[in-house]
Amino acid sequence: MDLFGRVSRWGAAAALAGTIAFGSVAATAQEGEPIRVGILHSLSGTMAISETTLKDVMLMLIEQQNEAGGLLGRPLEAVVVDPASDWPLFAEKARELLEQDQVDVVFGCWTSVSRKSVLPVFEELNGLLFYPVQYEGEESSRNVFYTGAAPNQQAIPAVEYLMSEEGGGAERWVLLGTDYVYPRTTNKILRAFLNANGVADEDIMEEYTPFGHSDWQTIVASVQEFASQGRPTAVVSTINGDANVPFYKELANQGITADEIPVVAFSVGEEELAGLDTAPLVGHLAAWNYFMSVDTPENAEFIAAWHDFIGDEARVTNDPMEAHYIGFHMWVQAVEQAGTTDVDAVRQAMYGQEVVNLTGGIAVMNTNHHLSKPVLIGEILDDGQFDVVWETDGLVVGDAWSDYIPESAVLTADWTYPWVCGNCQEPRFPVIGQ
Amino acid sequence: MPIAVIRCLLASFALLVVLAAPQRGVAQDADFAALVDTAAKGEFAEQSAAISALAATGDPRAQAVLEALAERGLYVTAEGQVVIGEDHPDGLRLIDPLTGEEIGIVGSRDVERVRANNSLRRAARSAIGTLTLMSPDPAVRLNAAQTVFSSQDAGALEMLEQALEQEEDDDVRGAMQKARAAILLGSDDPALRLEAVEALREFTDPDIRSMLAALVVQRQDGTYAETDETVRAAAAESLEAIERKLAAWRIAGYVYQGISLGSVLLLAAIGLAITFGVMGVINMAHGEMVMIGAYTTFVIQEVIRNHAPELLDWSLFVAIPAAFVVAGLAGIAIERGIIRFLYGRPLETLLATWGLSLILRQLVRTLFGTTNQEVGTPSWMQGAIETTAGVTMTYNRLYIILFCLLVFAGLMVALRRTALGLQMRAVTQNRQMARAMGIRTGRVDALTFGLGSGIAGIAGVALSQIDNVSPNLGQGYIIDSFLVVVFGGVGNLWGTLAGAFSLGVANKLLEPYAGAVLGKILVLVAIILFIQKRPRGLFALRGRAVEA
């Protein structure tokens, strides 16, 4: 299958680029050995639709860094592997990157199940993974930096917005999701949050569908019925990638507009809307930390560089791309600060690193390995972009363990002294005398 | 928070002053300008108040401002002037909302767009509704009455009653009366509310059910939204009557959705019924034939979009034969290139075609990229028939049901009435004898496989209208297709038809009660049990064909 894929081509290109870079730098720098950056994104299979773009954005960032003189006087070299949307293969490829290719850092994974599958490998071999996608939280590994949003940086603000008068004052909630770990956990947190805000269980409808579900007639009809109980209703969608298109088509065809029942989605961004006639979706919402439409100089520069790199003006940018942008720059700064690519030293240097967000403000890496970043809520426009209608006043600190689930509310993630722990109730090294 | 409250109070006070001002003259102009200003620049609560106030002025200029706001076309210039912006090749054409005159053309970054979220746009639209109740065009009035109905905006009542007095068109009158009743539900006078509840009883729209349900909702502190007991009882009674009517309709709705799902299953499975059912080839790449059909549709549509955009609505009629030919040729190539060497070795066929499906998917991914491709829906396939009882029949699915029946009928004719059909049946029933009679069995095999693949391609055209056009399109249908063919009875097209529709209806009847995931599992278990009892499926072939 690889024969027909872009994998081999890219691999060859990357290797070539590496050799050229190596050749030119070796003359100037004594320790010209390239720093190897692993890229672990599916380039084939179901997830290729989302992950290929992330591989490309990483190649662009690495190229930019090399043009700016590399890192520690050494060039960066991308090592691209294709885990082919196959979860166990993710673990194998991660091991290959860390043991054979001896990479210093890995940027990769999209689905939670792929992250869960590589986690033991990174912990065993003490690797470093940057994970760029919004996820369900309830995790903090010593070897992973989570640059996507935790539930309190996406799901909770979105629900708060829809509850507010401005957002329509929703009182009844439909939680729709694809049947796997991310929607289930997010909805568990959301239900607890809604209950805490006085929403009774009978005012919450929770529905799950199989992956790639394409016949939404019955579910859309039952959402409409659930909504006709005299109180404002909103839909929170954690529907996974591919199933979204038929879902939104059915909504539009059944004449449900965002005026009547707004749908807020956590996995629908610019890239997903690219395959869709967006006219009937205008007004439905998405919550992210980044929208392509945000007009800042940093973002304009990023988009221009992206179009230049990919050679296609029509390509969009999205939230996980910004997460890689932030993660990569933080890692570069941490390596410069530590003066080495050694994982333990870099990890210590990561805490408190700051990078200017593409949407304005400054992202900060916290000791729980999650970012502080702003939360934006956008409404879909008819050109497939988002109109930002609401944003948080300042940065929101990513919370690894949700405060709304009793068993995780008591847990703390903090990888600095005295805690040094990803899920503890007590610090590992309690300060004596306090 | 207190600051926001004070702001709100100040704003409402300002509005009161504005509203109390004399209705004509220079002062009115200034007030209008102030309202436009607040609607564009205020806090959310101020904005919505200003929007209703704008509608209440009845000022003819208000409509343009509100429409601009609702369509996100209201801007604020660097100097703080509120302007209406229209798209222009060089940026935006700015219009002064007060005078209606053009100010000039600027770049889109020189002005700041007024943020209008769903709530504001809804408010603006309902205000436009109020303003257009007296329009000379009955269609506009009908639309206005419906907007007022769904907004239940008490501010529109006076206008509505005036409009009702003059209204002559019966349809519009009915809609206005419905809207009036809806507004009166929120009135302070219990007698009026009771009257409204009585008036709304005869309708079964989901909206009205929603309004009545709102009256009988018990709040958390035990009080009711509706304080008067008689009204509440009347509302509860009306609600029950509506529910009874709806219950029967709902079952009808499920059955319709089931038939619709069945038609999609049938389309996907019917090609397989030939390649697997008639020829006995386990073709795991069948889903990819469907995908090829969908991508052909995409390519055809792109070509038409670029060369003859006026024909875009009819692109599907070009795509159907094109998809049949492309997928059919692919099928013939597969049969001649791979499958003919593997006849009688089902396991090898399964593995080879599965590998082929991987190759085809990755090939498409390389050619077209990994993202979904957008296939437009022609205008005549958009929208839905909405029955009053809340059952919605969308046009795209209605057409697909019709289309699938046509394809089925066409295939039946091809198999029963053409020479090729006769040869196909002869070859599958007794290959040696057919060959002895002078039929070139190899050629017939290739054509049969091509026919099955071509029909899968046609299915792709239909599926491009309801599903993602992505390399994985076929994967979602391959298992279901095999289920349908096995359940219906291998080798029997009528069985495939019956199998597809019964699976569709069973799935949809189970889904509301068991959920989509469990529903699917239950159907699967039922099929396994059924196959245990009747291994040859619903319609078993009898006689000599079975042994062949």
Side-chain angles (χ1 to χ4, degrees):
Chain A
M1 167 164 80
D2 282 4
L3 217 92
F4 294 89
R6 295 172 165 183
V7 189
S8 45
R9 218 170 68 203
W10 276 118
L16 191 67
T19 342
I20 295 167
F22 175 69
S24 61
V25 174
T28 53
Q30 284 302 310
E31 39 171 359
E33 182 97 339
I35 296 174
R36 305 182 132 217
V37 178
I39 300 175
L40 184 64
H41 283 301
S42 303
L43 310 177
S44 53
T46 23
M47 292 313 296
I49 174 174
S50 310
E51 292 192 65
T52 314
T53 320
L54 291 184
K55 182 259 312 174
D56 289 336
V57 88
M58 279 313 298
L59 291 179
M60 173 181 95
L61 291 169
I62 289 170
E63 187 185 289
Q64 284 175 350
Q65 189 65 32
N66 280 336
E67 279 166 16
L71 185 56
L72 302 179
R74 294 161 64 188
L76 292 177
E77 180 191 327
V79 182
V80 182
V81 292
D82 177 17
S85 312
D86 177 357
W87 319 137
L89 193 59
F90 264 91
E92 281 175 41
K93 290 287 174 185
R95 189 171 287 280
E96 184 183 312
L97 281 174
L98 292 174
E99 282 185 339
Q100 283 177 29
D101 297 317
Q102 298 277 323
V103 297
D104 295 302
V105 62
V106 177
F107 291 81
C109 298
W110 181 290
T111 58
S112 286
V113 46
S114 68
R115 189 192 65 251
K116 295 269 184 209
S117 122
V118 300
L119 204 58
V121 178
F122 277 91
E123 288 181 347
E124 179 198 326
L125 301 173
N126 194 23
L128 198 55
L129 173 71
F130 281 79
Y131 176 68
V133 182
Q134 99 287 2
Y135 83 118
E136 68 281 0
E138 307 298 294
E139 186 182 299
S140 175
S141 162
R142 192 165 142 261
N143 298 84
V144 183
F145 284 99
Y146 307 82
T147 50
N152 74 317
Q153 290 174 305
Q154 189 184 31
I156 302 264
V159 167
E160 275 175 335
Y161 169 75
L162 287 172
M163 272 182 162
S164 72
E165 195 199 349
E166 198 177 342
E171 292 175 24
R172 282 165 74 81
W173 298 86
V174 182
L175 309 180
L176 280 185
T178 305
D179 204 359
Y180 73 110
V181 54
Y182 167 66
R184 288 251 177 208
T185 318
T186 306
N187 287 341
K188 190 173 158 195
I189 294 172
L190 282 182
R191 184 181 280 272
F193 173 79
L194 288 171
N195 287 343
N197 279 278
V199 178
D201 270 333
E202 69 258 26
D203 289 329
I204 304 174
M205 168 177 153
E206 206 172 328
E207 278 282 345
Y208 293 97
T209 55
F211 269 96
H213 193 65
S214 62
D215 192 317
W216 290 91
Q217 301 178 80
T218 317
I219 289 177
V220 169
S222 64
V223 166
Q224 193 161 29
E225 188 182 328
F226 184 80
S228 64
Q229 301 296 321
R231 285 182 293 154
T233 306
V235 178
V236 176
S237 149
T238 39
I239 298 166
N240 172 275
D242 265 6
N244 275 301
V245 177
F247 170 63
Y248 281 113
K249 274 191 182 169
E250 190 67 39
L251 270 186
N253 278 327
Q254 293 208 11
I256 296 181
T257 60
D259 277 7
E260 303 160 56
I261 311 174
V263 178
V264 62
F266 302 145
S267 349
V268 175
E270 290 85 350
E271 188 93 19
E272 285 72 20
L273 289 181
L276 207 55
D277 175 18
T278 43
L281 308 182
V282 169
H284 287 302
L285 306 122
W288 290 105
N289 306 111
Y290 170 87
F291 286 112
M292 186 179 179
S293 63
V294 175
D295 199 0
T296 62
E298 291 86 6
N299 196 22
E301 192 187 326
F302 178 73
I303 294 170
W306 169 243
H307 285 163
D308 198 36
F309 178 81
I310 209 79
D312 180 0
E313 293 281 314
R315 290 289 295 270
V316 292
T317 55
N318 63 11
D319 181 274
M321 287 166 74
E322 190 217 21
H324 260 343
Y325 169 89
I326 295 175
F328 180 75
H329 284 285
M330 279 189 174
W331 174 76
V332 166
Q333 290 171 13
V335 170
E336 276 167 353
Q337 188 180 319
T340 165
T341 56
D342 177 70
V343 168
D344 291 314
V346 171
R347 178 171 37 241
Q348 286 307 318
M350 277 295 293
Y351 306 129
Q353 286 297 346
E354 294 182 349
V355 166
V356 176
N357 284 316
L358 295 177
T359 56
I362 289 169
V364 186
M365 180 52 78
N366 300 305
T367 53
N368 63 359
H369 287 207
H370 289 68
L371 287 174
S372 294
K373 36 185 198 176
V375 184
L376 313 175
I377 290 172
E379 284 179 9
I380 299 175
L381 294 174
D382 49 11
D383 60 356
Q385 290 291 329
F386 290 85
D387 182 22
V388 177
V389 292
W390 183 86
E391 57 198 287
T392 46
D393 286 334
L395 301 180
V396 179
V397 181
D399 189 9
W401 298 98
S402 173
D403 295 339
Y404 298 99
I405 300 181
E407 53 273 31
S408 80
V410 294
L411 295 176
T412 297
D414 185 341
W415 287 101
T416 54
Y417 183 80
W419 285 85
V420 200
C421 173
N423 55 342
C424 283
Q425 301 202 27
E426 298 287 334
R428 267 230 333 254
F429 307 99
V431 181
I432 294 161
Q434 276 194 356
Chain B
M1 267 306 139
I3 298 174
V5 172
I6 291 167
R7 261 197 179 160
C8 267
L9 284 175
L10 279 178
S12 359
F13 182 68
L15 286 174
L16 277 178
V17 173
V18 166
L19 287 178
Q23 288 293 306
R24 298 255 165 260
V26 188
Q28 192 204 356
D29 243 17
D31 301 340
F32 184 76
L35 280 177
V36 171
D37 225 44
T38 323
K41 296 188 218 158
E43 293 278 308
F44 175 73
E46 300 167 1
Q47 284 178 301
S48 26
I51 288 170
S52 340
L54 270 176
T57 59
D59 195 309
R61 294 169 298 179
Q63 196 181 336
V65 177
L66 292 171
E67 270 168 6
L69 186 65
E71 299 303 321
R72 302 176 206 255
L74 202 61
Y75 294 83
V76 180
T77 62
E79 296 82 44
Q81 189 192 2
V82 179
V83 291
I84 297 171
E86 284 173 3
D87 280 336
H88 187 275
D90 302 324
L92 288 167
R93 202 164 73 92
L94 299 187
I95 295 168
D96 187 336
L98 305 178
T99 58
E101 280 162 14
E102 189 180 324
I103 301 173
I105 292 162
V106 297
S108 53
R109 279 201 187 166
D110 300 335
V111 285
E112 194 183 343
R113 178 153 56 186
V114 173
R115 273 188 186 182
N117 69 2
N118 284 324
S119 313
L120 271 189
R121 281 182 292 132
R122 183 171 46 215
R125 264 198 284 276
S126 109
I128 296 169
T130 317
L131 279 172
T132 48
L133 275 173
M134 307 275 199
S135 152
D137 181 357
V140 174
R141 292 202 302 273
L142 184 65
N143 205 345
Q146 280 159 354
T147 324
V148 171
F149 164 75
S150 53
S151 72
Q152 291 184 276
D153 178 9
L157 187 60
E158 202 180 319
M159 284 278 207
L160 190 65
E161 282 176 342
Q162 275 179 30
L164 252 177
E165 273 172 29
Q166 314 172 352
E167 187 55 62
E168 279 161 3
D169 187 305
D170 277 345
D171 285 351
V172 183
R173 231 185 130 71
M176 284 184 175
Q177 267 157 350
K178 213 162 104 179
R180 181 171 172 270
I183 295 176
L184 286 180
L185 278 183
S187 134
D188 293 333
D189 182 358
L192 280 179
R193 292 204 297 269
L194 192 62
E195 188 198 319
V197 169
E198 303 282 337
L200 288 175
R201 163 170 287 175
E202 53 188 297
F203 302 101
T204 43
D205 307 23
D207 294 339
I208 292 184
R209 198 156 54 108
S210 172
M211 286 173 191
L212 291 176
L215 294 181
V216 296
V217 166
Q218 190 171 19
R219 296 210 194 94
Q220 275 184 332
D221 52 7
T223 61
Y224 287 90
E226 170 60 61
T227 44
D228 189 281
E229 208 155 304
T230 7
V231 180
R232 203 160 64 223
E237 201 185 310
S238 299
L239 206 57
E240 226 168 89
I242 294 176
E243 287 289 345
R244 267 199 304 276
K245 274 189 217 165
L246 281 182
W249 273 104
R250 202 171 297 146
I251 299 293
Y254 292 149
V255 172
Y256 166 73
Q257 289 159 5
I259 290 174
S260 161
L261 176 63
S263 70
V264 172
L265 288 178
L266 179 60
L267 265 179
I270 197 167
L272 196 73
I274 295 178
T275 52
F276 173 56
V278 177
M279 296 176 72
V281 174
I282 299 182
N283 179 16
M284 294 302 280
H286 175 74
E288 277 56 48
M289 296 296 120
V290 177
M291 174 195 74
I292 287 176
Y295 271 90
T296 311
T297 316
F298 166 72
V299 172
I300 297 271
Q301 220 176 51
E302 283 305 295
V303 171
I304 291 181
R305 198 192 302 273
N306 292 332
H307 294 98
E310 66 281 359
L311 296 177
L312 199 58
D313 262 359
W314 309 106
S315 64
L316 290 189
F317 292 99
V318 186
I320 290 170
F324 181 80
V325 171
V326 173
L329 287 178
I332 291 175
I334 293 170
E335 203 274 343
R336 286 289 91 180
I338 300 173
I339 291 175
R340 73 172 162 139
F341 304 111
L342 300 172
Y343 281 125
R345 283 144 69 186
L347 266 184
E348 274 114 302
T349 319
L350 190 146
L351 286 177
T353 50
W354 185 67
L356 189 69
S357 102
L358 285 177
I359 292 173
L360 286 175
R361 261 183 282 156
Q362 198 60 29
L363 189 67
V364 169
R365 210 171 267 139
T366 315
L367 285 176
F368 292 90
T370 51
T371 44
N372 292 339
Q373 302 299 337
E374 179 184 342
V375 173
T377 307
S379 53
W380 47 270
M381 275 181 89
Q382 281 167 1
I385 306 175
E386 264 180 75
T387 61
T388 47
V391 177
T392 332
M393 299 198 279
T394 54
Y395 283 124
N396 61 354
R397 293 203 178 255
L398 267 180
Y399 281 115
I400 287 177
I401 295 177
L402 282 180
F403 180 66
C404 108
L405 293 177
L406 274 179
V407 171
F408 184 80
L411 188 65
M412 271 325 226
V413 170
L415 284 184
R416 304 263 158 211
R417 296 269 181 271
T418 64
L420 178 68
L422 188 66
Q423 292 177 355
M424 276 180 197
R425 283 181 294 143
V427 170
T428 45
Q429 282 180 14
N430 194 327
R431 182 173 294 269
Q432 270 76 32
M433 185 59 87
R435 188 178 285 163
M437 303 294 285
I439 295 174
R440 289 158 64 192
T441 53
R443 183 170 158 272
V444 170
D445 280 337
L447 287 179
T448 312
F449 199 84
L451 177 70
S453 303
I455 286 177
I458 290 185
V461 181
L463 290 182
S464 74
Q465 292 302 312
I466 51 170
D467 207 339
N468 292 305
V469 179
S470 77
N472 302 316
L473 172 68
Q475 290 301 296
Y477 294 97
I478 181 77
I479 302 292
D480 284 340
S481 302
F482 272 106
L483 271 186
V484 166
V485 176
V486 171
F487 177 62
V490 175
N492 190 324
L493 282 186
W494 287 107
T496 308
L497 178 84
F501 283 118
S502 41
L503 280 189
V505 173
N507 220 326
K508 285 296 163 186
L509 284 177
L510 278 173
E511 204 177 292
Y513 307 104
V517 181
L518 190 59
K520 236 179 155 165
I521 296 175
L522 287 178
V523 169
L524 193 62
V525 170
I527 290 180
I528 293 173
L529 293 179
F530 179 84
I531 296 292
Q532 291 300 312
K533 197 80 193 149
R534 293 188 60 156
R536 289 183 187 283
L538 272 180
F539 293 81
L541 280 187
R542 285 187 199 87
R544 257 201 273 176
V546 178
E547 282 84 51

